Amino acid sequence: MKGGDLPTTRPQECARKSSEQRRKLDQAFAVACVIIACLSLVVLALLLSAITFEGVRFLSFQFLIAAPGPEPAEAGIGPSLGGTIWVCAVCAFMTLPVGVATAVLLEEFKPRNIVLRWLHGFLQLNIANLAGVPSVVYGIIGLTAFVAMFGLFGSVNDPVLELGASYYDQFVSEGDLVAFVPVSGPQAPETEPRDGMTAYTSSGQPFKMIVADRQTFDFNDPANQKNMKRTFFTDSEPGRVSRKSWYFIRIPFGRGVLAGSLTLMLVVLPIVIISTQEALRAVPDSLRAGALGMGSTPWQVVWHITLPAAVPGIMTGAILAMSRAIGEAAPILMIAGIVYIGSAPGNLMDDFSVMPLQIFTWASRPQAAFHSLAASGIIVLLAMLLAFNAVAVLIRHKMQKPLT
């Protein structure tokens, strides 16, 4: 051994070999991750390409506004598209404030009392567990709690409260004039036409009905022929119709947009709460301490410091929540059922359908043309999902500020 040379000990050699092995394992793991990610992107690209190739031939403006029908060339996704927009918009409007407020209460105002601390931990545990509950369970809950309201407030056909609805008995005259006679409600007795009774045209113009007996009516009389448009017979059978305003609401809610939105709120609410809590925890405690040291109240700290700093994380949770809500089919199937809906909802109580249900219906048909319609619907659904996410990303970008 030459002077100045240090002997290579066995522990040093083992440590060098161990370090090389770990480095090789790290490199192999990184390469494996890249390969898996590339394979995932390739599979995704193939799926999107196949869907686009299959469904692009039916994509048109007419497809977006037309109702489903037996002929694939004339069928569209308009009612389901409108229903999806209604349900997701109402769901987001209700879920985000409730979810953020719940997360702020649990994270920023933790109790000190031992009983309240136990309750806080119990709530936190249940929120985490609810995030893994199958969505069909929420559908059953929504069917009981929102559609029927546990049977405590009557039935949907005989609600205890209605606001924004008017009911009429509809008659058709011998001159094909449609007349509407107001009635008190959906369960009111049928109107018996009387001579001189006030009725309304479809445009809302009042007029006096002329009611006669069909057996004694003289059709050749010039006076009767002149008034034929306003002439109704005593044996005319009315049809019960309703006109509902945009703010129409009833209790119980029934199988309408509001019941579906509340059910989806139950599905995505745990996601919003948990993601908001994580965003709040990511805010440095030094900001809270500095604001409290300057004399701010705890609520002022939350409103002016913590929440603005946590908005990017909150919006990320909102994106994840709405991405799940827009593609849910099981809870909506429990609420709305598979029925033909020929128009988009006009108020919160209207019957509705959503795009996942319509896509499922088309995909289950044996004809190949309906499978292409399902692919077109998937393209529209993905476009809507990207639009919702783009709005959330834009809000997150505009409100993102440095923490220092």
Side-chain angles (χ1 to χ4, degrees):
M1 184 176 59
K2 298 181 179 179
D5 291 342
L6 295 176
T8 302
T9 62
R10 190 174 188 86
Q12 290 175 337
E13 184 178 355
C14 292
R16 181 177 58 81
K17 290 182 179 180
S18 177
S19 177
E20 291 178 357
Q21 290 177 351
R22 288 197 300 269
R23 185 168 58 253
K24 291 179 180 179
L25 286 175
D26 289 342
Q27 294 175 351
F29 180 74
V31 171
C33 289
V34 171
I35 293 175
I36 293 173
C38 292
L39 289 176
S40 301
L41 291 176
V42 169
V43 173
L44 178 62
L46 290 175
L47 289 175
L48 293 178
S49 300
I51 291 172
T52 303
F53 178 78
E54 184 74 17
V56 70
R57 66 190 180 102
F58 282 112
L59 282 179
S60 64
F61 180 73
Q62 184 66 23
F63 175 76
L64 296 178
I65 63 174
E71 295 296 331
E74 301 175 359
I77 203 169
S80 301
L81 177 61
T84 298
I85 294 174
W86 267 89
V87 169
C88 290
V90 176
C91 177
F93 181 77
M94 295 185 296
T95 302
L96 294 181
V98 174
V100 172
T102 304
V104 168
L105 176 64
L106 293 175
E107 195 65 30
E108 299 294 325
F109 296 94
K110 294 180 179 179
R112 297 181 180 179
N113 183 282
I114 186 170
V115 177
L116 294 180
R117 286 176 62 185
W118 179 87
L119 179 62
H120 177 276
F122 179 76
L123 291 175
Q124 189 69 58
L125 176 64
N126 279 275
I127 290 172
N129 290 334
L130 287 175
V133 173
S135 57
V136 69
V137 176
Y138 290 109
I140 298 173
I141 295 174
L143 189 65
T144 304
F146 303 132
V147 174
M149 289 191 169
F150 303 101
L152 299 177
F153 302 98
S155 64
V156 177
N157 297 325
D158 189 18
V160 298
L161 174 65
E162 278 194 338
L163 179 64
S166 301
Y167 291 90
Y168 302 87
D169 276 343
Q170 176 181 286
F171 297 89
V172 181
S173 72
E174 291 302 304
D176 293 331
L177 174 65
V178 181
F180 298 91
V181 179
V183 294
S184 59
Q187 304 300 325
E190 290 186 353
T191 302
E192 296 182 2
R194 301 187 307 274
D195 193 43
M197 177 184 292
T198 301
Y200 297 86
T201 64
S202 57
S203 60
Q205 297 296 324
F207 69 94
K208 297 294 183 180
M209 299 175 63
I210 299 175
V211 181
D213 189 347
R214 189 183 298 273
Q215 303 298 329
T216 60
F217 185 78
D218 186 2
F219 287 91
N220 296 321
D221 189 340
N224 290 341
Q225 293 178 354
K226 182 179 180 180
N227 295 322
M228 189 66 70
K229 191 171 185 179
R230 296 189 294 116
T231 299
F232 301 82
F233 292 121
T234 54
D235 58 354
S236 299
E237 295 185 0
R240 185 63 50 84
V241 296
S242 63
R243 293 179 179 176
K244 299 171 182 176
S245 304
W246 62 269
Y247 57 85
F248 169 64
I249 191 170
R250 66 170 173 242
I251 296 177
F253 296 144
R255 296 177 180 271
V257 172
L258 185 58
S261 301
L262 289 172
T263 303
L264 283 185
M265 182 187 74
L266 296 180
V267 176
V268 302
L269 191 58
I271 301 175
V272 176
I273 294 175
I274 293 173
S275 60
T276 301
Q277 285 186 284
E278 294 298 330
L280 293 172
R281 290 170 189 157
V283 178
D285 288 334
S286 58
L287 295 179
R288 298 182 179 87
L292 291 172
M294 296 178 66
S296 300
T297 62
W299 171 244
Q300 288 175 329
V301 173
V302 169
W303 185 253
H304 296 287
I305 303 296
T306 310
L307 272 181
V311 162
I314 294 173
M315 296 311 300
T316 300
I319 292 173
L320 295 174
M322 296 314 301
S323 298
R324 179 175 179 181
I326 200 173
E328 282 291 347
I332 298 300
L333 178 62
M334 299 293 296
I335 300 299
I338 300 180
V339 295
Y340 175 79
I341 302 294
S343 60
N347 55 68
L348 293 177
M349 299 292 110
D350 269 355
D351 294 334
F352 71 101
S353 181
V354 293
M355 286 192 288
L357 287 184
Q358 186 60 60
I359 292 170
F360 170 77
T361 302
W362 281 334
S364 62
R365 300 285 292 272
Q367 297 88 345
F370 285 105
H371 298 169
S372 298
L373 278 177
S376 301
I378 292 173
I379 295 174
V380 176
L381 181 62
L382 290 176
M384 178 174 290
L385 176 61
L386 292 176
F388 271 103
N389 290 353
V391 172
V393 170
L394 180 62
I395 295 174
R396 181 178 65 182
H397 177 73
K398 290 294 184 181
M399 299 190 69
Q400 190 167 10
K401 297 178 180 179
L403 297 180
T404 56

